[in-house]
Structure formats: C-alpha cells, structure tokens
C-alpha cells in the first residue's frame, strides 16, 4: 500500500480475447475502471472510465474481445491475466440461441415454434454454471430480449436467499456488482440448502414454478420467444442426477449445456436421445472458476442473507417489528407421521409425509431463524404459494407472548402464514 493508507494504482493491458481474473481482498474493496478499449464482466459491458467498486472476497473476470486497458488499485488477493478462455465457445452458443429466438419471434404465437430456447446449465460444483447462465442472459438482454432466469440452486442461488428456487425476467445486462435486481422475482421457499432434506418438496416446488412460468409465457409472446436460462445445483450424483432429469423434463428444456464433465454429458446424451428436440452440448469449464470450500460457501450464504436485509453496502435499513404470537402462524413442511399410529391398519408403520404442513410452536428455538412470508391467504394455498419475502427472528418473549423480527421494510406482513426451514442467520 502507498503512503497515506490508500493502495497504489496500476494499469493492466489486456490483449484481445484475454481476461483479467481477480479475487478481491478479504478485507478491502477494490476500485477499478476501464481506461480504454472495450471489456465486459460476465457478459455485461463495462462503462468507459467510470470507477467501479467491488466488495471484499468477490471473484470475477474482466474479458475483452478486442483489447482494453484497466486501471485498478493494487490491493487484490490475486489478479492475473489469462489468454486461454472458453469464451469463444460460449458466445457461439449465444449465437445459436439468438437464431432460435429470432425464429420463435417470427412464428405465429399459438404454435410450438413460437417458444424460444429453454436452456439448462448443468455440471459439478464450481464448474461456472452461474457465471455461464449470467453471460447468456446478459448477452441476450443486450440485444433487446427479455429472457427469464430460473435459478434452481438452493445452495448458492443468485436471485434471492439460499434455500429458495426462483425466477426473474432479465431485461438489462446484469450489473457486475449488484447482481440480479431483487425487484419482483417469483420465489418458492424450500428452506434448506440441500435437496436431501426433502426431495419430494423440492420436486413439487420446481413443478409449481414451471407451471406459473408456463402460464406467463402463454400470455406473453415476447418472453416466450426470449426463452429461459435455468441454473442448477452442483449436486449431480444419485439424487442430484434424478433432480436434474426432473428439471429438464419439467421445464421442457431444449438445450442442455454440460460444463466440464464428460461422464455427466454422456449419461445425459444417453437418456435424452429419445427426445429429438433436446440438444446436449458439452462445454469447457473456464480455468478461472474459483473453487469454493464448504466454509466459503457457508459464509457466502450468510452474506446473501445479510445483503437481503442490509443491502450490498449496508445501504438499506431494515425494520424491527413486534408481533403477538397469535398474529402469526408458522409451519414447516414435511416430517411428522401422516396419521397417528392408532389410525393405521394393524402392522403398518407411520411414515413421514413429505408434504405435510406441520404447525410450529413458537418458542426460543425460533431465535435467529429466517422465515419466509407466504403469499397464501388460506392455509390450503400454502404449499403452492410463492413467497413475498423473509423475516429474521431476533427475539422471543415467552412471558409476554411477543416475537420481534427484522424485515426489509416496515408495515404489515402480506400474510400471517410463515414458513420455517433450517435457514438461520447470526449477525456478524
Ligand atoms: P456452484 O454450483 O457451486 O454454485 P458454479 O458452477 O455455479 O458453482 P460459479 O458460481 O459460476 O460456479 O463460479 C464460481 C466462482 O468463480 C464465482 O465466484 C465466480 O464469480 C468465479 N468465476 C467464474 N468464472 C471466473 C473467471 N473466468 N475468472 C475469475 N473468476 C471466475
């Protein structure tokens, strides 16, 4: 660092089709700008000369098609230039998708042909699925399309909190710092960061989300033609593989992009060859994708929750509210026997019903839990309802029967029905 505490600056020259890979320092943000030339960050063009500020720990790349010079603070964890990237193959995929969108747009709106590409990105953890999804969406948005982003990754989702699956139309290239705008995503709460807890519930929510999107597409030729990009979990063995097939089927994907795994690719080719309208395409993983261990993942999840309440740079002020126990009805989904043993035929074992709504007693165990606020007006709508947002339980006063919670904004909750999973957060 230079004298005075502010880090020294440096300039990095990028040749055409190369990228600058950066890991921002753990405890300081990074300022940089495009001095000349043109460059993009995961598909979104950098503005010329404006300073951009990247938060600590962020990992990203600045790619240039024709050459660029970057001016940046010299205080990163790492930064280096790579001239071998799979970007040309990625942009070729984009070009093919673009052709299909144009064909869909030109078809009359009541035929199958008016459906644009439904792309699903699959691969092991840290293969760059989210990043590729983002590039494809931003490149499409840049050309005026409004594709739908569907994120089925309950571990490290990029639309909303962990534990959720969600969809959002993308009408502008995605901001490299802010990410996907949180305006009006369609969110379903699963409640856990691994599907093994309740795979049936995961499947039901995926179906529900697909159904709603199908309805929206039916009435909107523009989003229909733009199609969707679906990001998936990095869990690809056993149950994970079954869930991938389930997602491909449920969303009627027409393009399966497989990142960095021969085996998965050939397995998918094998089972999907009976569907002639599905293309399975193998793509190379970028050498820039950073592996994240479970500790980093946990801290990224926690960071997402902080961001939801406090904003990316602590720029939001969440509201603390107090409710009576009797004002709120909390459920968890799944578990508990279906029927009391006494009601079962002799010899039958009570089984846990994965889709049962189990009422939750309010007690101190709820402290620090993050609950989803359902849009349901009636109890029987809960399972199929998306969620309006989240609250974080900060205090439970048993004698006075009061519950204190934090919400992004004040005012009444849109419903008294709250959903509980295993999502917790502790302010650090
Ligand atoms: P998971 O399934 O585990 O969520 P993923 O396959 O979706 O992971 P990404 O989230 O796309 O992987 O990438 C992992 C990390 O690597 C991210 O922080 C991303 O910003 C970073 N990254 C991706 N590509 C590059 C690159 N070319 N240079 C530098 N960093 C990159």
């Amino acid at each position: 660092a230079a004298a005075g505490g502010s880090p020294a600056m440096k300039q990095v020259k990028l040749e055409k089709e190369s990228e600058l890979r950066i890991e921002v320092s753990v405890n300081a943000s990074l300022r940089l700008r495009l001095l000349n030339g043109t460059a993009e960050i995961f598909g979104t063009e950098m503005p010329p000369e404006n300073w951009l500020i990247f938060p600590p720990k962020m990992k990203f790349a600045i790619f240039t098609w024709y050459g660029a010079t970057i001016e940046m603070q010299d205080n990163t964890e790492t930064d280096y230039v790579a001239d071998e990237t799979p970007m040309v193959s990625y942009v070729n995929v984009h070009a093919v998708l673009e052709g299909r969108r144009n064909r869909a747009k030109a078809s009359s709106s009541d035929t199958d042909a008016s459906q644009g590409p439904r792309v699903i990105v699959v691969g092991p953890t840290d293969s760059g699925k989210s990043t590729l999804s983002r590039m494809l969406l931003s490149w499409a948005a840049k050309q005026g399309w409004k594709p739908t982003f569907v994120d089925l990754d309950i571990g490290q989702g990029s639309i909303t909190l962990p534990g959720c699956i969600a969809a959002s139309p993308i009408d502008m290239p995605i901001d490299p710092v802010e990410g996907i705008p949180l305006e009006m995503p369609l969110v379903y709460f699963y409640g856990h960061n691994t599907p093994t807890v309740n795979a049936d519930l995961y499947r039901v929510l995926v179906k529900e989300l697909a159904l709603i999107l199908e309805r929206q597409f039916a009435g909107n030729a523009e989003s229909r033609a733009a199609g969707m990009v679906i990001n998936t979990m990095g869990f690809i063995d056993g149950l994970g593989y079954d869930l991938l097939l389930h997602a491909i089927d449920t969303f009627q994907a027409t393009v399966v992009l497989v990142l960095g795994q021969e085996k998965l690719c050939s397995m998918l080719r094998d089972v999907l060859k009976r569907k002639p309208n599905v293309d399975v395409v193998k793509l190379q993983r970028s050498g820039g994708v950073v592996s994240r261990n479970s500790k980093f993942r946990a801290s990224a999840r926690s960071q997402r929750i902080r961001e939801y309440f406090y904003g990316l740079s602590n720029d939001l002020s969440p509201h603390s509210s107090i409710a009576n126990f009797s004002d709120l009805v909390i459920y968890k989904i799944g578990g508990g026997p279906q029927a009391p043993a006494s009601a079962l035929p002799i010899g039958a074992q009570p089984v846990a019903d994965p889709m049962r709504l189990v009422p939750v007693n309010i007690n101190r165990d709820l402290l620090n839990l993050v609950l989803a606020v359902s849009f349901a007006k009636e109890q029987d709508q809960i399972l199929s309802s998306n969620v309006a947002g989240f609250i974080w339980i900060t205090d439970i006063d048993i004698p006075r029967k009061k519950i204190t919670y934090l919400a992004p904004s004040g005012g009444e909750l849109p419903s008294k029905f709250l959903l509980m999973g295993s999502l917790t957060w502790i302010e650090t």
Side-chain angles (χ1 to χ4, degrees):
S6 62
M9 303 299 290
K10 68 175 177 185
Q11 288 186 11
V12 181
K13 196 166 173 337
L14 294 171
E15 300 298 332
K16 73 180 199 4
E17 290 179 24
S18 69
E19 70 183 19
L20 172 60
R21 294 173 179 164
I22 296 175
E23 286 184 46
V24 182
S25 145
V26 189
N27 42 36
S29 56
L30 170 69
R31 264 158 60 87
L32 62 71
R33 62 175 177 164
L34 175 65
L35 256 195
N36 58 55
T38 55
E40 56 183 51
I41 299 176
F42 298 154
T44 302
E45 246 179 289
M46 287 178 77
E49 290 180 44
N50 285 359
W51 287 101
L52 303 177
I53 299 174
F54 296 85
K57 295 191 209 168
M58 192 158 171
K59 307 170 198 309
F60 67 102
I62 298 174
F63 178 85
T64 178
W65 292 105
Y66 304 109
T69 307
I70 305 296
E71 184 180 14
M72 62 188 284
Q73 286 180 322
D74 194 9
N75 67 340
T76 65
E77 189 70 26
T78 50
D79 60 90
Y80 67 97
V81 176
D83 52 15
E84 261 179 54
T85 77
M87 290 294 279
V88 170
S89 61
Y90 294 177
V91 86
N92 284 340
V93 169
H94 164 71
V96 172
L97 300 177
E98 203 58 15
R100 294 192 183 182
R101 289 185 183 110
N102 283 320
R103 251 177 292 149
K105 193 177 172 184
S107 309
S108 77
S109 58
D110 54 353
T111 65
D112 267 1
S114 69
Q115 173 61 59
R118 296 182 170 196
V119 185
I120 187 164
V121 184
V122 307
T125 48
D126 297 323
S127 54
K129 295 179 297 298
S130 318
T131 305
L132 176 59
S133 304
R134 198 166 162 151
M135 286 187 232
L136 294 174
L137 289 160
S138 288
W139 286 330
K142 185 181 170 191
Q143 274 163 305
W145 300 100
K146 203 169 166 180
T148 301
F149 179 35
V150 177
D151 200 344
L152 303 181
D153 187 358
I154 47 181
Q156 307 276 319
S158 39
I159 297 183
T160 182
L161 295 197
C164 297
I165 62 169
S168 175
I170 303 295
D171 53 5
M172 276 200 308
I174 298 165
D175 186 289
V177 181
E178 306 275 329
I180 315 262
L182 278 178
E183 275 139 42
M184 276 302 284
L186 186 59
V187 180
Y188 286 87
F189 185 68
Y190 167 74
H192 315 278
N193 52 45
T194 146
T196 46
V197 178
N198 190 346
D200 289 309
L201 174 60
Y202 183 84
R203 284 194 192 90
V204 166
L205 298 179
V206 166
K207 264 200 192 139
E208 202 59 50
L209 178 59
L211 190 78
I212 301 294
L213 291 178
E214 209 67 68
R215 265 188 225 147
Q216 291 182 353
F217 284 159
N220 187 336
E222 192 192 355
S223 0
R224 193 170 156 80
M228 40 185 161
V229 176
I230 306 163
N231 181 35
T232 60
M233 295 180 278
F235 176 30
I236 54 168
D237 300 313
L239 173 65
Y241 181 69
D242 293 345
L243 293 175
L244 277 185
L245 292 180
H246 177 258
I248 291 169
D249 230 42
T250 309
F251 284 96
Q252 297 181 43
T254 51
V255 180
V256 182
L257 300 178
V258 189
L259 273 170
Q261 234 225 24
E262 298 276 352
K263 183 179 155 210
L264 178 63
C265 185
S266 77
M267 281 167 78
L268 288 173
R269 280 209 175 119
D270 225 41
V271 292
L272 293 172
K273 61 175 181 252
R274 64 194 157 79
K275 295 190 176 179
N277 61 336
V278 182
D279 295 316
V280 180
V281 181
K282 193 176 73 192
L283 288 172
Q284 224 177 24
R285 171 187 182 280
S286 166
V289 179
V290 185
S291 300
R292 295 159 300 172
N293 59 22
S294 56
K295 196 173 151 219
F296 187 93
R297 283 168 189 279
S299 106
R301 282 195 287 270
S302 161
Q303 175 60 26
R304 286 296 289 181
I305 300 176
R306 151 168 283 282
E307 228 179 278
Y308 175 80
F309 291 105
Y310 291 97
L312 189 66
S313 40
N314 265 325
D315 48 340
L316 301 180
S317 19
H319 283 250
S320 184
S321 307
I322 298 178
N324 298 311
F325 283 8
S326 57
D327 296 339
L328 305 174
V329 186
I330 306 177
Y331 288 105
K332 63 180 183 192
I333 301 170
Q338 211 164 8
S342 59
L344 290 171
I346 293 167
Q349 288 295 317
V351 283
D353 175 359
M355 300 309 296
R356 200 171 82 109
L357 274 183
V358 184
V360 176
N361 285 328
I362 302 184
N363 60 37
R364 298 279 305 167
D365 293 347
L366 294 183
L367 210 59
N368 296 326
L369 273 158
V370 176
L371 306 180
V373 184
S374 177
F375 268 126
K377 291 281 170 262
E378 304 295 335
Q379 190 205 311
D380 62 357
Q381 300 168 341
I382 294 178
L383 279 178
S384 58
S385 287
N386 54 322
V387 301
F390 308 89
I391 63 169
W392 178 51
I393 309 292
T394 54
D395 191 38
I396 307 270
D397 183 338
I398 303 282
R400 293 172 50 227
K401 294 193 179 335
K402 300 272 186 201
I403 183 163
T404 310
Y405 63 88
L406 207 66
S409 57
E412 220 174 294
L413 297 175
S415 158
K416 64 177 178 184
F417 295 119
L418 302 177
L419 291 172
M420 176 183 129
S422 51
L423 202 62
T424 57
W425 186 61
I426 292 169
E427 196 158 20
T428 41

